[in-house]
Every structure is written in structure tokens, then in C-alpha cells.
Amino acid sequence: MTRAGWAFVNAGSGAGHLQRVASDLQFTRVQRAYRAYIDHSRDCSACTFDTTTCSTAEELWTQYAAANSPEAGG
């Protein structure tokens, strides 16, 4: 699968249903962006010990939000 779309989900004994799914590429992009943000937040002394976030964390969060937006579809 290369694009976001719909996939049939078999419900076992029922009729099943359609479910919106992200492409593998989009899922990977979102996960990498989130992991970069989390890793930075864990390792950055300003982010770890202060209630505010540093400019790098803000930029990483912006990249995550952009990757996670519906327009970013794979």
C-alpha cells in the first residue's frame, strides 16, 4: 500500500466494515517524527528539567504535526 485509503476489516462472523488506514510510508514518517521529538525531550537538559520546551523541541513537534496531518498522506 502506498497511499492512505480504506481497507476492509473482516469482523469474523459479521459483515465486517471499512476502516481508514494510513499508508506504510505515512505511518513510518509519523513514527520517526514522534520518536525524534521524544528522544530529544528525554535527552535535552532544558526540556527535561524545565516546564517550557526549547526551540529544537518546538521544531520537532511542528515536524511531527505536519507528518501527522491528513494532507501529508503517503
Side-chain angles (χ1 to χ4, degrees):
M1 180 185 315
T2 59
R3 302 193 64 154
W6 296 89
F8 179 74
V9 177
N10 187 347
S13 61
H17 63 277
L18 288 174
Q19 177 176 337
R20 183 146 171 84
V21 294
S23 70
D24 294 336
L25 180 62
Q26 182 184 8
F27 179 78
T28 301
R29 185 179 305 126
V30 170
Q31 292 300 308
R32 285 185 180 170
Y34 188 67
R35 174 51 50 195
Y37 173 77
I38 293 299
D39 287 346
H40 169 79
S41 297
R42 181 191 65 219
D43 297 334
C44 174
S45 60
C47 293
T48 302
F49 298 108
D50 198 351
T51 58
T52 61
T53 55
C54 70
S55 60
T56 302
E58 290 174 4
E59 178 60 30
L60 289 169
W61 184 258
T62 301
Q63 290 174 9
Y64 164 71
N68 203 27
S69 73
E71 296 82 29

